Amino acid sequence: MSATTHHDKTRGRWRSPRPARPGTAPRYGLRTAWVMMASGWSANQFSALLGAYRSNLGLSESTVTGLFAVYVVGLVPGLLVGGPLADRHGRRPVALVALGVNLASSVFLMVGSAAHWLLLPGRFLTGVGAGALLAAGSAWVKELSSPPFVAEAAPAAAAKRAGLFVSAGFASGGLVASMIAQWAPHPLVTAYLPHLVLASAAGLAALPVPESRQPRTAATAQPTAPAATGPGAPAPSTSAYGRRFLRTVVPLAPWVFAAPAIGFATLPGLVDDGLSGWQTVYAGIMTAVVPGAGLVVQPLARRLAARSRLATAAIGMLVTTVGLALAAPAAALEQPALALVSGALLGAGYGLALTYALTEVAALAPPDRLARLTAYFWTTAYIGMFTPYVIALLSGTFGMTTLLLTGAVLAVVTCVGLLWLNRDEE
């Protein structure tokens, strides 16, 4: 084969998705998955620095809490706008632009250590970039990990790859930021440098990767529609796959982030009285343990999914239940070690729930609605991020132990309800 022929084939991949030779195209899914890790990293690096912002900059508790919440304020429009844009204009351009916004947000936060007013737009842009990456990037990674880019691929494996890399970013970002905050000089600047390196490297790796969305033409649109809803069915509509989404994904979705948020945002503050001088490191360890457990549990998720479609979701909610039940005595006795065990179980529940939800969304979404439906899932999931604030708000009235045990009961109720709503499914 001549160099010219090889060059022409390379150029061809830029124009449209084509089946690639074994051993070459499978790397596309992995190369783009790094942008998902950058998204997860940016989300959690700030969480580990909350104490440093209070002590180093003298920011009040309400200000720091508000900055944490601004992330979700930016994330929701990022998801709801990024998903439809990715379905309309392609996953690649939306994901790369979102990655640029994600990278810029860390620059704003770095400068914010001197000009405090920049912390607000920095956190908002973190949410916007992460939201658009979750919507467009998840669809891009899933499609690049499936035919025609990969000759043979398990649908569940393709769907969950984005979630695995997001979890890896969650786990790494908080831990690295906390270590820098504990020992490095100028921590509120240097803590963001690893994300700048990761996001830049992820962008360079993804830049040559082609678009994965199939062109929406008359020739391709008609065969696609029946496949999503059954032989001979009309084009999919909200009523066609929306009801299944409401039944199979929405009841579980808030728990995807409610469980880990309790693990790394609520538990560290309940057991830190015996951690004098090490609170920041402990918080960073917790932000690594929680999503890290979500990664470790993936082999179990595969085995459960092979037995039953709902097994992954049901076991995930039961593991979350046990994690919350252990969190109650950990908080009451102020036991950091027990809190770590609780956080690991909450993280395992998160990993199982996330795998189930992403696989379910990928299975029921029509190809031209994949990014949009993925965005709806992430938006619903991020409702769970408000759980620590609800717990803090109610703790003065009901007590922390009571609230954590109530959460365990609600997790059981969710599990039973999900199984009942889908009792006719396999």
Side-chain angles (χ1 to χ4, degrees), residues 78-90 94 135 216 371-372 375-376:
L79 283 165
L80 297 181
V81 175
L85 283 178
D87 283 333
R88 187 176 304 116
H89 301 293
V94 176
R216 299 173 68 179
R372 187 178 312 221
Y376 294 160

Side-chain angles (χ1 to χ4, degrees), residues 28-45:
Y28 285 157
L30 288 172
R31 290 172 68 175
T32 52
W34 289 100
V35 306
M36 305 304 297
M37 185 172 181
S39 173
W41 188 294
S42 69
N44 245 14
Q45 62 182 350

Side-chain angles (χ1 to χ4, degrees), residues 9-108:
K9 287 187 177 181
T10 302
R11 290 171 57 194
R13 292 193 194 111
W14 281 78
R15 295 193 182 102
S16 64
R18 297 182 181 180
R21 296 169 299 173
T24 56
R27 291 196 297 267
Y28 285 157
L30 288 172
R31 290 172 68 175
T32 52
W34 289 100
V35 306
M36 305 304 297
M37 185 172 181
S39 173
W41 188 294
S42 69
N44 245 14
Q45 62 182 350
F46 187 86
S47 304
L49 299 174
L50 297 180
Y53 275 106
R54 286 191 293 265
S55 59
N56 292 19
L57 299 185
L59 299 182
S60 66
E61 181 69 30
S62 60
T63 299
V64 172
T65 303
L67 288 171
F68 185 87
V70 165
Y71 167 78
V72 181
V73 174
L75 182 109
V76 172
L79 283 165
L80 297 181
V81 175
L85 283 178
D87 283 333
R88 187 176 304 116
H89 301 293
R91 288 71 161 102
R92 183 179 183 276
V94 176
L96 291 178
V97 170
L99 182 64
V101 173
N102 188 251
L103 195 153
S105 68
S106 283
V107 176
F108 272 73

